[in-house]
């Protein structure tokens, strides 16, 4: 196992360019070209774009959506489309965390409690999906349920807790000049990528996603897989909720709804990130690295549009165009690979 | 009596939907003295006008084996356009523009889904965001408002006791779509691509035509719903109306569609929507906050899904058992014959 890991890591390092040329079709080249064009255009036109500070801002903005997208990538890769309940899981989690913090339990207990609730929510959805429920409809119902539970618990009020509190290091602290949330994003993204590439579980995710019949024939039912990936996605949502709550020292169920960040609601932003990164939405193809890059790409574009003084309308429009563009390119490139099941 | 029994057995989904609707109505009618009154019925029909359209659109999409996630954004865009242009161009042309744009969006979506051969959820989750951006753009990030309130007054005038122009229009729409789905070739094609897409394609159905029709109707319904909401209240928000997707999906599933497609119908959509409306209105009467309504809808959807999934698994098990039984029944005599042959043959 260890030697595998080291060997794999060496291959990954040396063969990166080779693989880029061999494996990745025109799509990734397109995305990278697009990214470069945007980058250069931004560099030329926006005066404050190319500063270290702005670069840090971009990554920090990408972090929250990026963590969720990394979690959702597991679901997408395993062929279960996506969860429409990402932001609602986060909403319930943020209420849970803030209520627990304001009741005087420490950070650790609050964190574990939040994670436990997210785990139950994820496992329940995963079980229903694994039994054969349509992921979209199941999570649409779960979204209503979780959001309602969160509103009911908090009475639709803002729950706040006083500074100083035990979670400040996560929300506003920084390490080596990078905010801790950014570091958490990098750590989670790297871990997820390693898990997907070099562990048995990671390979199983790809197998179930790429060919469900083959997975079933070799004893990898979607039932267990759906539960696992939904738990991962839910835990990532809950982590984002905790980080966000630690940042603002308060919670409300609507924090992740329409007004969050810049571009509409969080769930769709996360799905957009996964898609723009170039993951196959039908499963079996893609990686969390792509999702992380997608998050940074969207964040870069958004940042540049802010620097150019655009309102929220054009910015949401830009993200929407990016999603649709990525869907169309992807469908054309991968045509026939797994069309119409 | 026997006829009723047969009907229930043949249409158990619809029978269940009717039973559920009657139960919900009965519960609120008995516990609340104002529920079963003339005014409440009018209010329920007013709600039906919007939610019914969305339920109808989603029912058609799910019959075709797809789901249109962009329905809320499409409705919001239509509402913004209708409200924004009513003052300058007059109500009729504003409505026509809004409906035309909404239908055109539906047609484009349907074309791309059939052309690219992607699942509709994949494309519509993109257009969900895209249309929201367009709506924000059209509304200039503000809440648009009417200044002339003759149009809202007209839309909410009472006619024939229980109806308003909006609800009459929607009921007519239901009847038209119901006739279309049941008695025209195009309607049957929609059922065909939902229930058995491979077989339908093999039999010569062109995937593009039914897909474009479904999404055109879906876009039209979403647009009409948005126009009615927008013009009735006189205001429209670009980020509003997102709750329609959940409510419409619940209505469609109560009405007896199956996520696998090919099942359900317009009557089911109407009854499903009415059930959701009864629940909504009844909960409002009991002073339930809006988020609790969402909670109940979520629970309802989960229960319906659990029933459907459970019954599908049960069906599969039964079928498997039957096949195994058939195999055993055939294998028995075959083995006996072979044994006899072996005995007869000299060693």
């Amino acid at each position: 196992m260890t030697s595998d890991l080291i060997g794999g890591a060496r291959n990954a390092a040396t063969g990166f360019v080779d693989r880029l040329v061999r494996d990745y079709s025109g799509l990734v080249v397109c995305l990278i070209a697009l990214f470069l064009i945007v980058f250069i255009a931004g560099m030329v036109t926006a005066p404050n774009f190319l500063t270290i500070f702005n670069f840090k801002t971009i990554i920090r903005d990408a972090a929250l959506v990026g963590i969720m997208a990394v979690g959702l990538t597991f679901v997408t890769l395993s062929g279960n489309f996506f969860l429409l309940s990402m932001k609602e899981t986060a909403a319930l989690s943020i209420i849970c965390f803030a209520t627990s913090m304001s009741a005087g339990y420490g950070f650790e207990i609050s964190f574990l409690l939040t994670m436990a609730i997210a785990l139950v929510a994820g496992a329940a959805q995963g079980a229903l999906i694994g039994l054969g429920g349509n992921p979209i409809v199941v999570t649409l119902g779960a979204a209503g349920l979780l959001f309602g539970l969160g509103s009911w618990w908090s009475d639709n009020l803002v729950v706040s807790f006083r500074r100083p509190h035990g979670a400040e290091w996560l929300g506003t602290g920084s390490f080596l000049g990078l905010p801790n949330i950014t570091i958490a994003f990098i750590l989670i993204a790297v871990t997820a990528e390693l898990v997907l590439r070099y562990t048995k579980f990671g390979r199983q995710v790809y197998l179930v996603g790429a060919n469900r019949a083959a997975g079933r024939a070799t004893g990898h039912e979607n039932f267990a897989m759906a539960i696992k990936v939904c738990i991962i996605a839910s835990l990532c949502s809950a982590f984002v909720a905790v980080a966000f709550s630690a940042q603002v020292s308060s919670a409300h169920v609507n924090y992740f709804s329409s007004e969050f960040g810049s571009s509409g609601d969080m769930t769709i932003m996360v799905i957009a990130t996964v898609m723009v990164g170039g993951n196959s939405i039908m499963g079996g193809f893609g990686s969390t690295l792509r999702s992380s890059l997608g998050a940074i790409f969207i964040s870069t574009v958004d940042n540049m549009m802010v620097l150019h003084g655009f309102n929220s309308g054009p910015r949401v429009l830009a993200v929407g165009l990016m999603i649709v563009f990525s869907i169309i390119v992807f469908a054309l490139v991968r045509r026939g690979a797994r069309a119409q099941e | 009596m026997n006829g009723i029994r047969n009907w229930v057995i043949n249409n158990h989904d619809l029978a269940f939907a009717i039973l559920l609707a009657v139960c919900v109505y009965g519960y609120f009618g008995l516990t609340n003295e104002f529920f079963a009154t003339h005014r409440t019925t009018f209010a329920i029909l007013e709600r039906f006008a919007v939610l019914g359209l969305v339920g109808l659109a989603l029912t058609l999409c799910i019959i075709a084996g797809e789901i249109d996630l962009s329905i809320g954004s499409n409705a919001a865009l239509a509402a913004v356009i209708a409200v924004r242009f009513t003052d300058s161009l007059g109500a009729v042309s504003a409505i026509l523009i809004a409906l035309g744009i909404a239908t055109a969006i539906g047609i484009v979506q349907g074309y791309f889904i059939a052309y690219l051969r992607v699942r509709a959820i994949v494309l519509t989750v993109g257009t969900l965001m895209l249309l929201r951006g367009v709506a924000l753009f059209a509304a200039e990030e503000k809440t648009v408002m009417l200044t002339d309130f003759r149009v809202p007054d007209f839309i909410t005038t009472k006619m024939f006791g229980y109806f308003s122009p909006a609800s009459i229009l929607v009921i007519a729409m239901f009847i038209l779509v119901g006739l279309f789905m049941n008695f025209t070739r195009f309607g049957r094609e929609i059922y065909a691509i939902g229930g058995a897409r491979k077989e339908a394609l093999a039999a010569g159905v062109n995937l593009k035509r039914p897909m474009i029709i479904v999404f055109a109707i879906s876009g039209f319904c979403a647009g009409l719903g948005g126009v009615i909401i927008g013009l009735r209240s006189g205001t429209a928000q670009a980020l509003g109306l997102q709750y329609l997707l959940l409510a419409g999906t619940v209505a469609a599933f109560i009405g007896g569609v199956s996520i696998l497609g090919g099942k359900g119908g317009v009557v089911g959509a109407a009854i499903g929507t009415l059930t959701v409306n009864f629940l909504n209105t009844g909960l409002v009467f009991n002073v339930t906050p809006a988020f609790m309504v969402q909670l109940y809808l979520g629970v309802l959807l989960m229960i319906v899904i659990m029933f459907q999934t459970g019954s599908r698994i049960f069906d599969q098990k039964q079928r498997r058992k039957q096949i195994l039984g058939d195999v055993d029944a055939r294998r028995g005599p075959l083995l006996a014959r072979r044994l006899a042959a072996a005995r007869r043959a000299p060693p």
Side-chain angles (χ1 to χ4, degrees), chain A residues 131-132 134 137-138 140-141 145 147 149 151 156 263 265 268 275 281 311-313 317 321 327 335 340, chain B residues 115 118 122 125 128-130 132-134 136 141 197 249 259 291 294-295 298-299 301-302 305-306 309 312:
Chain A
L131 283 174
N134 180 292
V137 183
V138 167
L140 186 64
L145 182 60
F147 189 79
L149 278 178
S151 320
N156 218 357
S263 308
D265 90 39
I268 307 297
M275 283 182 166
I281 213 76
N311 282 331
S312 65
L317 198 66
L321 277 176
I327 294 163
R335 191 156 195 188
Q340 300 291 337
Chain B
Y115 173 69
V118 291
V122 179
V125 83
L128 170 82
M129 192 104 184
L130 188 65
R132 209 180 279 183
V134 176
L136 272 173
E141 289 101 19
R197 182 162 301 174
T249 314
I259 192 64
F291 56 82
Q294 212 183 357
L295 180 77
V299 173
L301 186 55
M302 295 296 263
I305 292 297
M306 265 189 251
T309 316
R312 205 188 311 151

Side-chain angles (χ1 to χ4, degrees), chain A residues 255-266:
Chain A
Y255 274 177
F256 296 101
S257 299
S258 48
E259 304 301 327
F260 182 88
S262 54
S263 308
D265 90 39
M266 190 86 172

Side-chain angles (χ1 to χ4, degrees), chain B residues 100-269:
Chain B
I101 289 176
T103 316
I105 288 169
I107 290 172
V108 171
Q109 279 184 4
Y111 176 78
F112 270 102
I113 289 162
Y115 173 69
L116 295 173
R117 300 214 159 197
V118 291
R119 303 299 298 266
I121 41 169
V122 179
L123 189 75
T124 51
V125 83
T127 47
L128 170 82
M129 192 104 184
L130 188 65
L131 293 181
R132 209 180 279 183
V134 176
L136 272 173
F137 204 66
E140 292 166 349
E141 289 101 19
K142 288 183 294 230
T143 303
V144 287
M145 276 178 150
L146 281 182
T147 47
D148 174 12
F149 273 82
R150 270 174 307 175
V151 182
D153 285 346
F154 170 71
I155 288 181
T156 47
T157 37
K158 263 188 205 178
M159 298 161 98
F160 313 117
Y162 290 103
F163 300 101
S164 71
S167 52
I168 287 178
L169 185 66
V170 172
I171 290 167
M173 180 85 198
F174 261 86
I175 293 169
L176 271 181
V177 174
L179 292 176
F180 173 78
M181 288 298 281
N182 282 310
F183 297 111
T184 65
R185 196 178 132 210
F186 304 119
R188 302 318 294 177
E189 275 181 0
I190 292 172
Y191 275 98
I193 62 161
R197 182 162 301 174
K198 273 183 197 152
E199 290 81 344
L201 293 182
V205 174
N206 181 358
L207 184 63
K208 271 183 199 155
R209 186 172 46 205
M211 208 56 108
I212 289 176
I213 292 176
V214 163
F215 278 86
I217 297 177
S218 166
F220 181 80
C221 286
L224 190 58
V227 166
I228 291 175
I229 290 188
L231 289 184
R232 194 161 65 194
S233 60
T235 61
Q237 272 180 323
L239 293 176
L241 301 186
Q242 303 302 331
Y243 62 91
L244 284 179
L245 179 64
L246 176 62
T249 314
V250 175
F253 273 93
I254 290 176
V257 297
S258 152
I259 192 64
L260 300 176
K263 253 180 77 185
V266 172
V267 183

